[in-house]
Amino acid sequence: MPGNTFGQAFTLTTFGESHGPAMGAIVDGCPPGLELSEADLQIDLDRRKPGSSKYTTQRREDDKVEILSGVFEGKTTGTTIGLLIHNTDQRSRDYSKIKDVFRPAHADFSYQQKYGIRDYRGGGRASARETTMRVAAAGIAKKYLKEKYNTTIEGYLAQIGHIVPEVIDLSLVNENPFFCPDPKVLDEIAQFIDQLRADGDSIGAKIEVLVRNMHVGLGEPVFGKLDADLAGAMMGINAVKGVAIGDGFDVVTQRGSEHRDEMDRAGFRSNSAGGTVGGISTGQDLVCSIALKPTSSITKSGDTLNKEGETVQISTTGRHDPCVGIRATPIAEAMVALVLMDHCLRDRAQNHDVERKSLFDE
Amino acid sequence: MPGNTFGQAFTLTTFGESHGPAMGAIVDGCPPGLELSEADLQIDLDRRKPGSSKYTTQRREDDKVEILSGVFEGKTTGTTIGLLIHNTDQRSRDYSKIKDVFRPAHADFSYQQKYGIRDYRGGGRASARETTMRVAAAGIAKKYLKEKYNTTIEGYLAQIGHIVPEVIDLSLVNENPFFCPDPKVLDEIAQFIDQLRADGDSIGAKIEVLVRNMHVGLGEPVFGKLDADLAGAMMGINAVKGVAIGDGFDVVTQRGSEHRDEMDRAGFRSNSAGGTVGGISTGQDLVCSIALKPTSSITKSGDTLNKEGETVQISTTGRHDPCVGIRATPIAEAMVALVLMDHCLRDRAQNHDVERKSLFDE
Amino acid sequence: MPGNTFGQAFTLTTFGESHGPAMGAIVDGCPPGLELSEADLQIDLDRRKPGSSKYTTQRREDDKVEILSGVFEGKTTGTTIGLLIHNTDQRSRDYSKIKDVFRPAHADFSYQQKYGIRDYRGGGRASARETTMRVAAAGIAKKYLKEKYNTTIEGYLAQIGHIVPEVIDLSLVNENPFFCPDPKVLDEIAQFIDQLRADGDSIGAKIEVLVRNMHVGLGEPVFGKLDADLAGAMMGINAVKGVAIGDGFDVVTQRGSEHRDEMDRAGFRSNSAGGTVGGISTGQDLVCSIALKPTSSITKSGDTLNKEGETVQISTTGRHDPCVGIRATPIAEAMVALVLMDHCLRDRAQNHDVERKSLFDE
Amino acid sequence: MPGNTFGQAFTLTTFGESHGPAMGAIVDGCPPGLELSEADLQIDLDRRKPGSSKYTTQRREDDKVEILSGVFEGKTTGTTIGLLIHNTDQRSRDYSKIKDVFRPAHADFSYQQKYGIRDYRGGGRASARETTMRVAAAGIAKKYLKEKYNTTIEGYLAQIGHIVPEVIDLSLVNENPFFCPDPKVLDEIAQFIDQLRADGDSIGAKIEVLVRNMHVGLGEPVFGKLDADLAGAMMGINAVKGVAIGDGFDVVTQRGSEHRDEMDRAGFRSNSAGGTVGGISTGQDLVCSIALKPTSSITKSGDTLNKEGETVQISTTGRHDPCVGIRATPIAEAMVALVLMDHCLRDRAQNHDVERKSLFDE
């Protein structure tokens, strides 16, 4: 119940604060016999890690993950997998400026109200650093889904501020610091971020995740819908304020005859649904997008309260991404992977004996 | 795990198909001593029920709920509450047209693929009729939240197709069949729906829910965030394709200095956050909006497959809402109520002893 | 969390009080395609039902179960199964004698303390009548386990007071009112119960459940052990005070060389383990026994307190079993069935691809 | 679902194998503001740790626990607590003798069957070494329960083989290596264990746990009963084969008039119930006992199978306790503490507003 375990059949439980000694995770339910090494998990950790370009936070972390249990002679044993990443650059600094002040749009105020106490160093448990363990754990899910079903999960920047990249080539995504699929806008984004830094300000972003070779039949009626679990997973990423499946908010102005994805023997003719109908996957590509708010740590001064209830001015200095949305790409992929893995296992618990034949011509 | 129980401390489990004999629910975790009668639950059931205007489905159901356990001498006992609604108008009809055909944008295809069998009568378990029990159960939560914290939960139509009502007066919402807070657009909506009926087509909608007198400190870090649970709850409503908290997708183009809700002794100066920061409620009003796709049951003909894998034409006749979004208003309120109630109880399990004092001037 | 849902992959949630209008249940996770009718569930309900012999309570209930959802054209659809049994003999009576008095060894005192309110009619939610729904739901599990794995689950009276039946023939169990596998002691039991009735007293009992054709590999390490889940399930049956697997408390005086079940190609040479080692089933027969306390409703007078805190004398009249243990036999089988079904589904969620070959000669 | 998280409101998730690099745990739901240091957790870890006397395994582990998150400036923050213990004496040895052989009464066979793979080094995840993290985590629960409710949880050896200590003084328990409350039998036990070592054999034991100053009203009806959760928790301890609450299996021969705990203004006159009636705590002392099977690792030779299905002789050498029951005392206390803590939080989630007044004279 205390909100720190994700999933039901394939589960992730995590610990760790931004400026504590280490981040850790426990993964349960992984099928036995999967070949798994730390290198498998390092791929996405390296994609996510801070300090990898001048456009993101300058905190330097190696983010080297250790597998402490659950893998024996290179294979998963079916028992609990333990993961650990040491924090190396939680540099000692002077917290006196933020210790007693509630930075607007940070979790400072809500944590203090809820618990009557908070670890103010670097955001504590509310820091996006917590997502390292989601990315590490999802590496297991991604590997399994790829090997077993050939499922691929690819995220990319769909919008940053007013700039809307075209989805030209997803293979470009890992070749630039913005996870951007459009080479034409790279310079524009770089200049925009430089300008934001100069302004002491930040910007929001939209990230999209595309899943190909989707397993059909994932999701459960009523409260265990695939899209519902995806929405919960995605909204639970730091800074996310909106989640859409398929056409998302565009459906408000669509007519039924326009929205529905008609079918023939060649397959679905369109994908407004974004991969799920009735909360269950159809085999269409899964398409999920999220809106991330602008980084709240900015140097531009603003008003707020301190713990004594006095109005004070705040300006957050330090090592911050001007757009947290950029680095959210591997995190968004991770959450999709965790949901799909969980639902694959849940589905076969119940429907192990159902023979599923495609109605479409191959 | 099988996705049919909602919540952790205050839970709802339901059964029932559209054309089966009855819908039922089990509610657990309700605090003892709450005065509760069937009339309390009937209020929102009547708001939701079909056949109440010519703009919604013409199926006629009384939706009279019975409380079968958990209430004694007019008060909840703290033990399990059982609820039942008999289906009265599941009229016997000829299903031969849809029995073997997958209606596009319906759950027909995904259910058949998942389970290898489906109850095709009226959508079976995938029917929006299932939401009766969510509305009934949420009546308990709404009553408790109102009595204990003075919290109110109000939904309204925020958009239907191209028509965007102004939020003039929420007290108007229950006085028109569209849950519309703007008297100026009522005629326009009525004509639009008549036109859709004439066209054999349907339209999407956007519903917004506003919660006032929010309890501060609800939600848990990481995977139990209040907004994450809300997003999961809302996306799990039939036909929902997008969920937004506060400014939602508008944050993509916002700057940090614009988005953050600055504070002084008078309180928050704005509400871009929509009531949660770091996944925990701040005490600001909670604002949540959802996008609902157009009704998929339309008479306009379209292509699809039948069970034999042949391409066929389909036209769905029968008693359907041209805009399922309209009647989703009390359902959206219900899901918000269930999430808030669950988190109130979860919060006090852990934080029972934390003294919470407002920093703001009253 | 509120303790009213059993299982994780195959789940049971129930409602209903002894003297309320009906008992109900919701079963989730049942695999689709299982042939299922009300008659299937009635078998064990009839074995459990009160009033079937003069040795049990004289309350008369038909206990006719209705399936309200989840079965279509005679087969399970994979969606939620709803069950209902109307209470017919909750005869109106004078509760003034027990209304304000805490009957010793009843749940009166603990419910009143916990909730500050209680439904005193017939024990309310604490009544053993609640177990009807466990028995009904377990009928589904029993049928599936038998059809799929040929697993059989048979309970019997292992001891009542000083009388210890010999396990002569389990086929006799359903042919006498005591679920007794030993024809030689039937008269002695009957006389013993008559004597207890004359004394206004009651007696404890021990019930054993034997599972044959056990699936190997059920159970999970650490907190999801098969025997742990069985122990929780069995201790949760009304009046149970002890649970044993295999040799149970006899292991305290056993040596390791005596306790261990040695193996050769013919199989295990003994079954001290009772079917599980390390919390995971070995394929040996599962053997589980429970101790049930004597019925607390007795006419023999005793001291207790009333709600005002005054010491009063209490003598419980009414329709009560002199030995609740007897009728617990089908209930004990039911709980074993629910645990095994749940673990079968959980096991295949994770271990679907593991090939399991017997090492033993067939 | 994968069986590796314990509790619902106060939860424990663990990782680690006997011969892996470290054991770890994640504790969620701890109320904020509790003073907590590693020394608090070390107390019971030291009581449990191996190598502390010649009567237990000679493996030497410091079992020094580190708190990696969730505590800030000496107090719990309400967020996730991470714990780690490095394994230091997982000495490299020759596993060739046990690698392909299923030691009788070990988890070797059942793990191999379930997963098709196993970590054979020192029992892997099935090792009792896993219980370190239960003991560490329970230190938090014990501290909270003591500070908040003055609840104490004390375990002791109730029987070892034929030797039955008298409960003379619980303060003696920590002053001898057997957790024995009776000074008169210490020599006898020591000699018995020496004899078992000489015989290459082992013995079972019975451990009892006594809880004083029990909170009233803990536990939930039907499937969340306090005694049911205790039974599940206790049966989940390695080697446990039986669990009893209060009079346990003795109730089989008790009459109702003898078993019931009568009450007057001075309180309950007896404690046959062992602290719970109807699954809910009465405020009486909680009394729970468990039977532990003899250590399965013995040098005495026995027959078994190897992976090829051949019958072979096995004799387990190495560092093993002749009676695993002895060191189970702090583990049994730990599981009781975890259950009580979880139910305290669960109870106040729902029943926060119920005023509970004792009916007894103080």
Side-chain angles (χ1 to χ4, degrees):
Chain A
M1 190 182 70
N4 192 43
T5 294
F6 187 83
Q8 296 189 31
F10 182 86
T11 64
L12 168 63
T13 309
T14 72
F15 73 78
E17 285 110 22
S18 177
H19 289 208
M23 315 304 291
I26 298 178
V27 176
D28 282 300
C30 184
L34 177 71
E35 288 190 21
L36 192 74
S37 71
E38 283 146 356
D40 292 318
L41 311 187
Q42 205 60 48
I43 302 165
D44 280 333
L45 282 169
D46 287 347
R47 291 173 69 215
R48 180 210 163 279
K49 91 177 167 197
S52 46
S53 87
K54 68 167 184 154
Y55 303 103
T56 58
T57 168
Q58 293 310 296
R59 177 172 174 167
R60 303 242 164 233
E61 289 287 352
D62 273 347
D63 282 353
K64 287 292 171 209
V65 68
E66 295 170 66
I67 299 176
L68 295 182
S69 70
V71 175
F72 182 60
E73 297 180 344
K75 288 188 177 169
T76 57
T77 61
T79 61
T80 298
I81 298 172
L83 304 174
L84 198 78
I85 292 176
H86 285 93
N87 289 335
T88 55
D89 187 17
Q90 73 280 36
R91 69 179 68 164
S92 143
R93 45 170 287 197
D94 180 11
Y95 293 104
S96 54
K97 275 175 60 186
I98 58 159
K99 187 169 159 339
D100 298 321
V101 172
F102 304 118
R103 294 166 296 170
H106 274 85
D108 298 346
F109 178 79
S110 49
Y111 271 58
Q112 183 71 37
Q113 285 286 313
K114 182 177 183 74
Y115 297 120
I117 182 177
R118 80 179 199 277
D119 180 348
Y120 45 74
R121 300 165 308 158
R125 186 71 178 142
S127 166
R129 181 138 189 81
E130 163 272 315
T131 59
T132 45
M133 300 319 300
R134 308 193 196 189
V135 169
I140 305 168
K142 274 187 170 180
K143 188 157 203 258
Y144 185 84
L145 293 168
K146 182 76 178 75
E147 291 190 2
K148 181 91 185 173
Y149 304 109
N150 200 29
T151 302
T152 59
I153 302 168
E154 294 166 287
Y156 51 90
L157 183 72
Q159 187 171 349
I160 176 168
H162 58 285
I163 309 169
V164 183
E166 212 179 325
V167 182
I168 289 173
D169 185 352
L170 291 189
S171 74
L172 301 173
V173 161
N174 291 323
E175 292 175 11
N176 66 73
F178 312 117
F179 300 96
C180 176
D182 179 355
K184 303 187 308 297
V185 297
L186 296 178
D187 284 349
E188 193 182 352
I189 297 174
Q191 287 159 22
F192 184 36
I193 290 180
D194 286 341
Q195 185 59 50
L196 289 164
R197 275 244 171 73
D199 296 347
D201 217 333
S202 60
I203 194 71
K206 181 174 156 187
I207 303 295
E208 203 156 282
V209 179
L210 173 72
V211 184
R212 288 189 272 212
N213 299 320
M214 268 294 295
H215 201 57
V216 74
L218 301 188
E220 289 156 3
V222 185
F223 300 123
K225 288 178 174 143
L226 185 65
D227 40 7
D229 280 1
L230 278 166
M234 303 307 263
M235 191 67 92
I237 297 173
N238 307 41
V240 172
K241 301 302 287 183
V243 182
I245 306 289
D247 288 350
F249 279 84
D250 292 347
V251 301
V252 173
T253 54
Q254 289 176 351
R255 290 198 164 206
S257 55
E258 174 190 3
H259 175 80
R260 65 179 166 185
D261 300 321
E262 296 184 45
M263 284 179 270
D264 59 30
R265 292 195 60 90
F268 289 93
R269 289 186 190 154
S270 53
N271 190 7
S272 287
T276 72
V277 177
I280 294 172
S281 67
T282 58
Q284 292 166 287
D285 288 349
L286 189 85
V287 183
C288 180
S289 55
I290 54 176
L292 294 109
K293 69 177 188 181
T295 314
S296 34
S297 295
I298 54 177
T299 50
K300 206 163 191 174
S301 177
D303 286 351
T304 193
L305 290 180
N306 65 16
K307 278 172 78 174
E308 280 65 48
E310 299 157 336
T311 306
V312 294
Q313 287 255 315
I314 181 96
S315 159
T316 310
T317 53
R319 305 162 295 170
H320 301 288
D321 296 11
C323 176
V324 287
I326 292 173
R327 271 172 58 216
T329 303
I331 304 165
E333 293 173 4
M335 293 314 296
V336 171
L338 291 173
V339 170
L340 294 184
M341 182 74 183
D342 188 40
H343 272 283
C344 276
L345 303 193
R346 286 162 69 168
D347 179 56
R348 70 193 195 194
Q350 184 184 23
N351 301 299
H352 170 273
D353 301 319
V354 178
E355 268 188 73
R356 291 182 188 157
K357 281 175 296 190
S358 177
L359 291 170
F360 305 126
D361 295 326
E362 300 300 309
Chain B
M1 190 183 70
N4 193 43
T5 295
F6 187 84
Q8 296 189 30
F10 182 86
T11 63
L12 168 63
T13 309
T14 71
F15 72 78
E17 285 110 22
S18 177
H19 289 207
M23 316 303 292
I26 297 178
V27 176
D28 282 301
C30 184
L34 177 70
E35 288 189 20
L36 191 73
S37 71
E38 283 145 357
D40 291 318
L41 311 187
Q42 204 61 46
I43 301 165
D44 280 333
L45 282 170
D46 287 347
R47 289 174 70 215
R48 181 210 161 279
K49 89 178 166 195
S52 46
S53 87
K54 68 168 186 155
Y55 302 103
T56 59
T57 168
Q58 293 309 296
R59 177 171 175 169
R60 302 241 163 233
E61 289 286 352
D62 273 346
D63 283 353
K64 286 294 171 209
V65 67
E66 294 171 65
I67 299 177
L68 296 182
S69 70
V71 175
F72 181 59
E73 297 180 344
K75 288 188 176 169
T76 57
T77 61
T79 62
T80 299
I81 298 172
L83 303 175
L84 198 77
I85 292 177
H86 285 92
N87 289 334
T88 54
D89 188 17
Q90 72 280 35
R91 69 179 68 164
S92 145
R93 45 172 284 198
D94 180 10
Y95 293 105
S96 54
K97 274 174 63 184
I98 59 160
K99 187 170 160 337
D100 298 321
V101 172
F102 304 117
R103 294 167 296 169
H106 274 84
D108 299 347
F109 178 79
S110 49
Y111 271 59
Q112 183 71 37
Q113 285 286 312
K114 182 176 184 74
Y115 298 119
I117 181 177
R118 80 180 200 278
D119 180 348
Y120 45 75
R121 302 165 306 159
R125 186 72 178 141
S127 166
R129 181 139 189 79
E130 164 271 315
T131 59
T132 45
M133 300 319 300
R134 308 194 195 190
V135 170
I140 305 169
K142 275 186 170 181
K143 188 157 202 259
Y144 185 85
L145 293 168
K146 183 75 177 74
E147 291 189 2
K148 180 92 186 174
Y149 304 110
N150 199 28
T151 301
T152 59
I153 301 168
E154 295 166 287
Y156 51 91
L157 183 73
Q159 187 172 349
I160 175 169
H162 58 286
I163 309 170
V164 183
E166 212 178 324
V167 182
I168 290 174
D169 185 352
L170 291 189
S171 74
L172 300 174
V173 161
N174 290 322
E175 291 174 11
N176 66 73
F178 311 118
F179 299 95
C180 177
D182 179 354
K184 303 187 308 299
V185 296
L186 296 178
D187 284 349
E188 193 182 352
I189 296 174
Q191 286 159 23
F192 184 37
I193 289 181
D194 286 340
Q195 185 60 50
L196 288 164
R197 275 244 170 74
D199 297 348
D201 217 333
S202 61
I203 194 72
K206 182 174 157 188
I207 302 295
E208 204 155 281
V209 179
L210 172 72
V211 184
R212 287 189 273 211
N213 299 320
M214 268 293 296
H215 202 58
V216 75
L218 302 188
E220 289 156 2
V222 186
F223 301 123
K225 289 180 172 139
L226 184 65
D227 41 7
D229 280 1
L230 278 167
M234 302 308 263
M235 192 65 93
I237 297 173
N238 308 42
V240 171
K241 301 303 286 184
V243 181
I245 306 289
D247 288 350
F249 278 85
D250 291 347
V251 301
V252 173
T253 55
Q254 290 176 350
R255 289 198 164 206
S257 55
E258 173 191 4
H259 175 80
R260 64 179 165 185
D261 301 321
E262 296 185 45
M263 283 179 271
D264 58 31
R265 291 195 62 88
F268 289 93
R269 289 187 191 152
S270 53
N271 190 6
S272 287
T276 73
V277 177
I280 294 171
S281 66
T282 58
Q284 293 167 284
D285 288 349
L286 188 85
V287 183
C288 181
S289 54
I290 54 176
L292 294 109
K293 70 177 188 180
T295 314
S296 34
S297 295
I298 53 177
T299 50
K300 207 162 191 176
S301 176
D303 287 351
T304 193
L305 289 181
N306 64 16
K307 279 172 80 173
E308 279 65 48
E310 297 158 337
T311 306
V312 293
Q313 288 255 315
I314 179 95
S315 160
T316 310
T317 53
R319 305 163 294 169
H320 302 288
D321 295 12
C323 175
V324 286
I326 292 173
R327 269 173 58 217
T329 303
I331 303 166
E333 293 173 5
M335 293 315 294
V336 171
L338 292 172
V339 170
L340 294 184
M341 182 75 184
D342 188 41
H343 272 284
C344 276
L345 303 193
R346 288 163 68 168
D347 178 55
R348 69 193 198 193
Q350 184 184 20
N351 301 299
H352 170 272
D353 301 320
V354 178
E355 267 188 74
R356 290 180 189 159
K357 281 175 297 190
S358 177
L359 291 170
F360 304 127
D361 296 327
E362 300 301 309
Chain C
M1 190 183 70
N4 192 43
T5 294
F6 187 83
Q8 296 189 34
F10 183 86
T11 64
L12 168 63
T13 310
T14 71
F15 73 77
E17 286 111 21
S18 178
H19 289 208
M23 316 303 294
I26 298 179
V27 176
D28 281 301
C30 184
L34 176 71
E35 289 189 19
L36 191 73
S37 71
E38 284 146 355
D40 291 318
L41 310 186
Q42 205 60 47
I43 301 166
D44 280 332
L45 281 169
D46 288 347
R47 289 174 70 215
R48 180 211 161 279
K49 92 178 164 194
S52 46
S53 85
K54 69 168 186 154
Y55 302 103
T56 60
T57 168
Q58 292 310 295
R59 177 171 175 168
R60 303 241 162 233
E61 288 286 354
D62 272 347
D63 283 353
K64 286 293 171 207
V65 67
E66 295 171 65
I67 299 176
L68 295 182
S69 71
V71 174
F72 182 59
E73 298 181 344
K75 286 186 177 171
T76 57
T77 61
T79 62
T80 298
I81 298 172
L83 303 175
L84 198 77
I85 292 177
H86 285 92
N87 289 335
T88 54
D89 187 18
Q90 73 279 35
R91 68 178 69 161
S92 145
R93 45 171 286 197
D94 180 11
Y95 293 104
S96 54
K97 275 174 62 184
I98 59 159
K99 189 168 158 339
D100 297 322
V101 172
F102 304 117
R103 293 167 296 169
H106 273 84
D108 298 346
F109 178 79
S110 49
Y111 271 59
Q112 183 72 37
Q113 284 286 312
K114 183 176 184 72
Y115 297 120
I117 183 178
R118 79 180 200 278
D119 180 348
Y120 46 73
R121 300 166 307 160
R125 186 70 177 142
S127 165
R129 180 136 190 83
E130 163 272 315
T131 59
T132 45
M133 299 318 300
R134 309 194 194 189
V135 170
I140 305 168
K142 275 187 169 179
K143 188 156 201 259
Y144 186 84
L145 293 168
K146 181 74 177 75
E147 289 189 4
K148 182 88 184 174
Y149 304 110
N150 199 29
T151 301
T152 58
I153 301 168
E154 294 166 287
Y156 51 89
L157 182 73
Q159 187 171 350
I160 175 168
H162 59 285
I163 308 171
V164 184
E166 213 178 323
V167 182
I168 289 174
D169 184 353
L170 291 189
S171 74
L172 300 174
V173 161
N174 291 323
E175 291 174 11
N176 66 73
F178 311 117
F179 299 95
C180 176
D182 179 355
K184 302 187 309 299
V185 295
L186 296 179
D187 285 349
E188 194 182 350
I189 296 174
Q191 286 159 22
F192 184 37
I193 290 180
D194 286 340
Q195 185 59 50
L196 289 164
R197 276 240 171 77
D199 296 347
D201 217 332
S202 61
I203 195 72
K206 182 174 157 188
I207 303 295
E208 204 156 281
V209 179
L210 173 72
V211 183
R212 289 189 271 210
N213 299 320
M214 268 294 295
H215 202 57
V216 74
L218 301 188
E220 290 156 0
V222 187
F223 300 123
K225 288 179 173 142
L226 184 64
D227 40 8
D229 280 0
L230 277 168
M234 302 307 262
M235 192 66 93
I237 297 173
N238 307 41
V240 171
K241 300 303 286 184
V243 181
I245 306 288
D247 288 350
F249 278 85
D250 292 346
V251 301
V252 173
T253 54
Q254 288 175 351
R255 290 198 163 205
S257 55
E258 173 191 2
H259 175 80
R260 64 180 166 186
D261 300 320
E262 297 186 43
M263 283 179 270
D264 58 31
R265 292 195 61 89
F268 289 94
R269 289 185 190 155
S270 53
N271 190 6
S272 286
T276 73
V277 178
I280 294 172
S281 67
T282 58
Q284 294 167 285
D285 288 348
L286 188 85
V287 183
C288 181
S289 54
I290 53 175
L292 294 111
K293 69 177 187 181
T295 315
S296 33
S297 295
I298 54 177
T299 50
K300 206 163 191 174
S301 177
D303 286 351
T304 193
L305 290 180
N306 65 16
K307 279 171 80 174
E308 279 66 46
E310 298 157 337
T311 306
V312 294
Q313 287 255 314
I314 180 96
S315 159
T316 311
T317 53
R319 304 163 296 170
H320 302 288
D321 295 11
C323 175
V324 287
I326 292 172
R327 273 172 56 216
T329 302
I331 304 165
E333 293 174 4
M335 294 314 295
V336 171
L338 291 172
V339 170
L340 294 184
M341 182 74 184
D342 188 42
H343 273 283
C344 276
L345 303 192
R346 288 163 68 168
D347 179 55
R348 69 194 197 192
Q350 183 182 23
N351 301 300
H352 171 272
D353 301 320
V354 178
E355 268 188 72
R356 291 182 187 155
K357 282 176 295 189
S358 177
L359 291 169
F360 305 126
D361 296 326
E362 300 300 309
Chain D
M1 189 182 70
N4 193 42
T5 294
F6 186 84
Q8 296 189 33
F10 182 87
T11 64
L12 168 64
T13 309
T14 72
F15 72 77
E17 285 110 23
S18 177
H19 289 209
M23 317 303 293
I26 297 178
V27 176
D28 281 301
C30 185
L34 176 70
E35 288 189 21
L36 192 72
S37 71
E38 283 146 355
D40 291 318
L41 310 186
Q42 205 59 48
I43 301 166
D44 280 332
L45 282 169
D46 288 347
R47 290 174 69 215
R48 180 211 162 279
K49 92 177 165 195
S52 47
S53 86
K54 69 168 186 155
Y55 303 103
T56 59
T57 168
Q58 292 310 295
R59 178 171 175 169
R60 302 242 161 232
E61 288 286 352
D62 272 347
D63 283 353
K64 286 294 171 208
V65 67
E66 294 171 66
I67 299 176
L68 296 181
S69 71
V71 175
F72 182 60
E73 298 181 343
K75 287 187 177 170
T76 57
T77 61
T79 62
T80 298
I81 298 172
L83 303 175
L84 198 77
I85 292 177
H86 285 94
N87 290 335
T88 55
D89 187 17
Q90 72 281 34
R91 68 179 68 162
S92 143
R93 45 171 286 196
D94 180 10
Y95 293 103
S96 53
K97 273 175 64 186
I98 59 159
K99 189 169 158 338
D100 298 321
V101 172
F102 304 118
R103 295 167 296 170
H106 274 85
D108 298 346
F109 178 79
S110 49
Y111 270 59
Q112 183 71 38
Q113 286 286 313
K114 182 176 185 73
Y115 297 120
I117 182 178
R118 80 179 199 278
D119 180 348
Y120 46 73
R121 301 165 308 158
R125 186 71 177 141
S127 165
R129 181 138 190 81
E130 163 271 315
T131 59
T132 46
M133 300 319 299
R134 309 193 194 189
V135 169
I140 305 168
K142 274 186 170 181
K143 188 157 200 258
Y144 185 84
L145 293 169
K146 181 75 178 71
E147 291 190 4
K148 181 88 184 174
Y149 305 109
N150 199 29
T151 302
T152 59
I153 301 169
E154 295 166 286
Y156 51 89
L157 183 73
Q159 187 171 351
I160 175 169
H162 58 286
I163 308 170
V164 184
E166 213 177 325
V167 182
I168 290 174
D169 185 352
L170 291 189
S171 74
L172 301 173
V173 161
N174 290 324
E175 292 174 12
N176 66 73
F178 311 118
F179 299 96
C180 176
D182 179 355
K184 303 185 311 295
V185 296
L186 296 178
D187 284 349
E188 194 182 351
I189 296 174
Q191 286 160 23
F192 185 38
I193 290 179
D194 286 340
Q195 185 59 49
L196 288 164
R197 275 241 171 75
D199 297 347
D201 217 333
S202 61
I203 194 72
K206 181 173 156 188
I207 302 295
E208 204 155 281
V209 179
L210 173 72
V211 184
R212 288 188 272 209
N213 297 321
M214 268 294 295
H215 202 57
V216 74
L218 301 188
E220 289 156 1
V222 185
F223 300 125
K225 288 177 174 144
L226 183 66
D227 41 7
D229 280 0
L230 278 167
M234 302 307 263
M235 192 67 91
I237 296 173
N238 307 41
V240 172
K241 300 303 286 184
V243 182
I245 306 288
D247 288 350
F249 278 85
D250 292 346
V251 301
V252 174
T253 54
Q254 288 175 349
R255 290 198 164 205
S257 54
E258 174 191 3
H259 175 80
R260 65 179 166 184
D261 300 322
E262 297 185 44
M263 283 180 271
D264 58 32
R265 291 194 63 89
F268 288 93
R269 289 187 190 152
S270 53
N271 190 7
S272 287
T276 73
V277 177
I280 294 172
S281 67
T282 57
Q284 294 167 285
D285 287 349
L286 189 84
V287 183
C288 179
S289 54
I290 53 176
L292 294 110
K293 70 178 187 179
T295 315
S296 33
S297 295
I298 54 177
T299 50
K300 207 162 188 174
S301 177
D303 286 351
T304 192
L305 290 180
N306 64 16
K307 278 172 80 174
E308 279 66 47
E310 298 157 336
T311 306
V312 295
Q313 287 256 313
I314 180 95
S315 159
T316 310
T317 53
R319 304 163 297 169
H320 301 288
D321 295 11
C323 175
V324 287
I326 292 173
R327 271 172 58 218
T329 303
I331 304 165
E333 293 173 5
M335 294 314 295
V336 171
L338 292 172
V339 171
L340 294 184
M341 182 76 183
D342 188 42
H343 272 283
C344 275
L345 304 192
R346 288 162 68 169
D347 179 55
R348 68 194 197 191
Q350 184 184 21
N351 301 299
H352 171 271
D353 300 321
V354 178
E355 267 188 73
R356 291 182 186 156
K357 282 176 296 190
S358 177
L359 290 170
F360 304 127
D361 297 325
E362 300 300 308

